[in-house]
């Protein structure tokens, strides 16, 4: 049995299949863990959703910002833009089945044996993994409730950008969602900057610190994440792994086999 962790797919279904073939993935014995953002902008978002859902318990995913936005579009909160290539999902006979399945996915997963945490954007540096898991479940309860649409309406925006245990209501929910699905840089006071999408090498602002450089983990704990395509997987910490290598932007799709830390990669077919 092997455990594979795959970066943001964004509808790049053909590349996903090539990656699984390259690694000789066995659906009967192996597991696939996905960093979220399964859909949007790539050519085959519908096929990607159907395939991953069809894997059943073999697939373990977390929600990304684009996955949540897909749910919002489906509820009429935002328009469906042609550039996102999502229309086939909304026109599919199994649309409701697929999106209900998506809505019931978590923001964070922890592997029981390997002690790694899987998230889309990251773990807020001032949270322990235990606290992060508890806060993620607060969102999951709301997202899976009958009143989930209100959460989707209220989650947009960058405020508050700082965490406090005293936050309540939508301010609390919004910060938690933003930390798990949109975070890249932190400021010295612990607040989050959502504007800068560049890699640290491209950033000259000394006040901005990548979240993964600000967090402290126990030696036997690890975090795997996606979201930050401009990093191209370059994270200078031995127990934190960035897996989004920008397939939808014409770069590559990357997968890590956890047991031996071997990487697999296929070039994007998007030009």
């Amino acid at each position: 049995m092997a455990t594979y962790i795959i970066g943001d797919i964004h509808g790049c279904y053909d590349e996903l299949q090539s990656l699984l073939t390259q690694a000789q993935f066995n659906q009967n014995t192996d597991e696939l863990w996905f960093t979220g953002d399964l859909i949007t902008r790539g050519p085959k978002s519908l096929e990607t959703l159907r395939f991953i859902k069809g894997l059943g318990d073999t697939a373990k995913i977390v929600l990304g910002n684009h996955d949540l936005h897909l749910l919002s579009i489906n509820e009429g909160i935002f328009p469906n833009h042609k550039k996102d290539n999502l229309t086939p999902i909304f026109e599919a006979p199994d649309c409701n089945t697929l999106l209900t399945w998506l809505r019931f996915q978590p923001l964070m997963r922890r592997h029981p044996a390997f002690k790694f945490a899987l998230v889309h954007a990251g773990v807020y540096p001032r949270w322990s993994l235990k606290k992060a898991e508890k806060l993620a479940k607060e969102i999951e309860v709301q997202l899976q409730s009958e009143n989930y649409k209100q959460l989707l309406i209220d989650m947009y925006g960058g405020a508050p950008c700082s965490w406090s245990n005293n936050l309540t209501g939508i301010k609390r929910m919004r910060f938690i969602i933003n930390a798990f699905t949109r975070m890249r840089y932190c400021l010295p006071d612990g607040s989050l900057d959502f504007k800068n999408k560049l890699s640290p090498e491209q950033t000259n602002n000394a006040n901005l610190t990548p979240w993964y450089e600000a967090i402290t983990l126990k030696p036997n704990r690890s975090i795997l994440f996606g979201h930050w395509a401009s990093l191209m997987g370059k994270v200078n910490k031995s127990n934190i792994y960035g897996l989004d290598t920008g397939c939808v932007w014409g770069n590559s799709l990357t997968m890590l086999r956890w047991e031996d830390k071997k990487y697999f990669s296929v070039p994007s077919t998007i030009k």
Side-chain angles (χ1 to χ4, degrees):
M1 176 180 174
T3 305
Y4 296 99
I5 306 95
I6 302 177
D8 301 24
I9 301 169
H10 281 292
C12 295
Y13 175 78
D14 292 343
E15 290 85 344
L16 171 61
Q17 294 303 317
S18 295
L19 199 59
L20 297 180
T21 298
Q22 181 188 127
Q24 298 182 328
F25 165 70
N26 186 330
Q27 183 176 340
N28 296 320
T29 58
D30 301 336
E31 282 188 348
L32 292 179
W33 293 59
F34 296 90
T35 62
D37 279 3
L38 307 179
I39 46 81
T40 307
R41 296 185 178 148
K44 294 184 178 180
S45 287
L46 174 60
E47 291 86 346
T48 300
L49 280 184
R50 283 175 171 167
F51 173 73
I52 295 174
K53 180 181 181 298
L55 291 172
D57 291 340
T58 296
K60 313 290 185 184
I61 80 165
V62 293
L63 293 171
N65 52 306
H66 285 278
D67 305 314
L68 290 171
H69 190 62
L70 171 66
L71 297 175
S72 294
I73 296 172
N74 188 56
E75 295 296 333
I77 299 168
F78 279 87
N80 174 27
H81 294 298
K82 184 178 180 180
K83 67 176 183 178
D84 290 334
N85 289 326
L86 296 174
T87 299
I89 295 176
F90 300 126
E91 293 180 345
D94 54 345
C95 175
N96 287 338
T97 300
L98 291 169
L99 297 193
T100 299
W101 167 78
L102 193 66
R103 181 164 63 86
F104 275 72
Q105 301 305 313
L107 287 174
M108 177 178 178
R109 289 183 183 269
R110 297 182 72 177
H111 195 287
F114 297 133
K115 308 299 182 183
F116 67 67
L118 180 74
V119 289
H120 178 61
V123 175
Y124 181 61
R126 297 191 178 186
W127 296 338
S128 66
L129 291 182
K130 184 177 180 179
K131 181 169 185 174
E133 188 173 30
K134 181 179 179 181
L135 294 174
K137 289 191 180 298
E138 289 186 22
I139 303 301
E140 292 154 23
V141 168
Q142 294 299 314
L143 191 59
Q144 296 168 18
S145 73
E146 293 182 358
N147 195 38
Y148 70 92
K149 183 175 179 179
Q150 192 60 50
L151 176 66
L152 295 175
I153 292 171
D154 292 338
M155 72 177 180
Y156 290 90
C161 60
S162 298
W163 171 254
S164 167
N165 289 326
N166 296 323
L167 286 176
T168 60
I170 190 56
K171 291 183 178 179
R172 181 182 181 90
M173 299 293 178
R174 186 183 293 136
F175 185 91
I176 296 169
I177 291 171
N178 281 339
F180 278 115
T181 67
R182 295 180 58 209
M183 178 175 63
R184 291 185 180 90
Y185 286 104
C186 301
L187 292 158
D189 64 358
S191 60
L192 301 180
D193 179 282
F194 297 114
K195 296 179 180 179
N196 193 328
K197 299 181 180 181
L198 300 174
S199 69
E201 291 77 13
Q202 299 169 313
T203 300
N204 297 319
N205 188 340
N207 287 321
L208 295 179
T209 300
W211 69 267
Y212 53 81
E213 291 185 4
I215 197 170
T216 300
L217 293 176
K218 294 179 181 179
N220 62 338
R221 297 292 188 268
S222 299
I223 297 174
L224 300 105
F225 72 103
H227 183 60
W228 201 341
S230 63
L231 288 178
M232 289 298 292
K234 296 178 182 178
V235 178
N236 297 319
K237 293 191 75 171
S238 60
N239 55 350
I240 299 182
Y241 302 79
L243 291 170
D244 184 1
T245 50
C247 187
V248 78
W249 306 115
N251 295 313
S252 61
L253 186 64
T254 294
M255 178 171 72
L256 171 67
R257 186 165 61 203
W258 185 255
E259 285 79 1
D260 58 1
K261 304 302 185 293
K262 180 178 179 178
Y263 286 92
F264 301 84
S265 181
V266 296
S268 173
T269 60
I270 298 174
K271 304 299 182 184

